[in-house]
Amino acid sequence: MLILGIESSCDETAAAVLADGERLLADVVHTQVATHAKYGGGVPELASRMHLEAIQPVVEEALRLAGITLADLDGIAVTQGPGLIGSLLVGLSFAKAVSYAAHIPYVGVDHMNGHLLSVFLDRHHPAFPYIAVVASGGHSSIFRVDSAKSYRLLGRTRDDAAGEAFDKVGKLLGLEYPGGPVIGRLAATGNGDAISFPRAWLEQDSLDFSFSGLKTAVVNFVHQHAVNGQGVLPVADICASFQEAVVDVLVEKGIRAAKREKIGEIVLAGGVAANLRLREEMVRRGKEQGLNVYMPQPRYCTDNGAMIALAGYHRFLDGEGGYDYEMDVYSRVAI
Ligand code: KG4
Ligand code: ZN
């Protein structure tokens, strides 16, 4: 079964062609970050315009790389939500148009479902059930994943997402957007114990996250440093100490979830899972606790069309998908 996956929920216009749910024939990602960087953050209106320009060339490139034409496709999978409404609409409308014109069934996919399955794009993947910690620019959530299509939310952020915290701290420190990858690089040259930033553990049994207090602590530190006239800001140490605080909470809560659900497999996913320190700590502390730890290679952690094609594949297998053009996008996670 040949599935075209289309993703346009945030900053990336992406398309991929997946054969039989396991062989990736093409995987094209067009990122808008250079444009958003000029404005210091994502600009929704610009995002949808850029998706509109990029979507057709990106899909055509994916088909070309896969060496196929539309007629070869068995289905189209497209991100339906959550994400930016205007951006999602570009992908969904494009998918509907192609579906109608070329008579190929299409199916809507939840973006989180894609992230949850992204680990299966690598050879080293877990068996069901597993615990997944999904940390991205829009979400920081813990799921129990029982099958390709059934998963349950165990915890989520009450304020900022982990990636959002990285991006806001990056902006505060005058770093390039998005802050996550830059902070990750700078942190490698700093001391993670230099500054003691807070960890929000919340209630004893809570698997929720809160990162806004940490962000405020970094703001206060930078402010105090200026007020006290302490000279050059220790940017690398701030990055390392901030990163340590985020990693600590993500890893610890993931492990708690695994213990509580009595599950031995844990998966990291979402853009922040590209963070090397997070990957290293998850493996180290997971091993200590006797857990098997899995994570997609970094390119499948950030948004891509392959994970959407994969999630769509499972829906087509179950007989979902078709020609109902009434489908709409949704901006928020269904609870
Ligand atoms: O999953 P993703 O590509 O898009 C969303 O669905 O949000 O995640 C993007 C987020 C951004 O906030 C970015 O700063 C963060 O992932 N990110 C990282 C790293 N690479 C990307 N955060 C920390 N370290 C990284 N290496
Ligand atoms: Zn994402």
Side-chain angles (χ1 to χ4, degrees), residues 7 9-10 111-112 115 134 136-139 270-271 301-304 307:
E7 154 64 35
S9 66
C10 193
H111 185 77
M112 299 309 278
H115 276 304
V134 185
S136 72
H139 314 275
C301 289
T302 46
D303 290 348
N304 62 82
M307 66 185 195

Side-chain angles (χ1 to χ4, degrees), residues 166 169 173 175 179-180 182-197 199 214 218 221 234-248 275 277-278 280-281:
F166 268 96
V169 166
L173 296 175
L175 307 175
V182 190
I183 290 180
R185 280 198 297 279
L186 287 171
T189 65
N191 173 6
D193 298 323
I195 309 152
S196 151
F197 286 131
R199 276 86 165 139
L214 170 60
V218 179
F221 179 88
V235 173
D237 285 349
I238 296 174
C239 289
S241 303
F242 160 78
Q243 176 178 269
E244 219 50 38
V246 177
V247 167
D248 205 9
N275 184 276
R277 181 75 186 127
L278 175 59
E280 180 182 77
E281 273 300 283

Side-chain angles (χ1 to χ4, degrees), residues 194-241:
I195 309 152
S196 151
F197 286 131
R199 276 86 165 139
W201 299 112
L202 306 174
E203 305 80 37
Q204 208 181 354
D205 59 347
S206 175
L207 295 174
D208 282 350
F209 299 104
S210 166
F211 292 108
S212 74
L214 170 60
K215 179 194 63 193
T216 306
V218 179
V219 171
N220 290 342
F221 179 88
V222 171
H223 183 68
Q224 274 311 114
H225 193 273
V227 168
N228 297 343
Q230 289 167 317
V232 183
L233 198 65
V235 173
D237 285 349
I238 296 174
C239 289
S241 303

Side-chain angles (χ1 to χ4, degrees), residues 93-123:
S93 309
F94 189 83
K96 283 180 185 174
V98 176
S99 160
Y100 182 76
H103 203 69
I104 306 162
Y106 83 106
V107 73
V109 167
D110 187 276
H111 185 77
M112 299 309 278
N113 198 170
H115 276 304
L116 291 177
L117 295 185
S118 57
V119 70
F120 288 93
L121 295 166
D122 280 320
R123 214 156 8 120

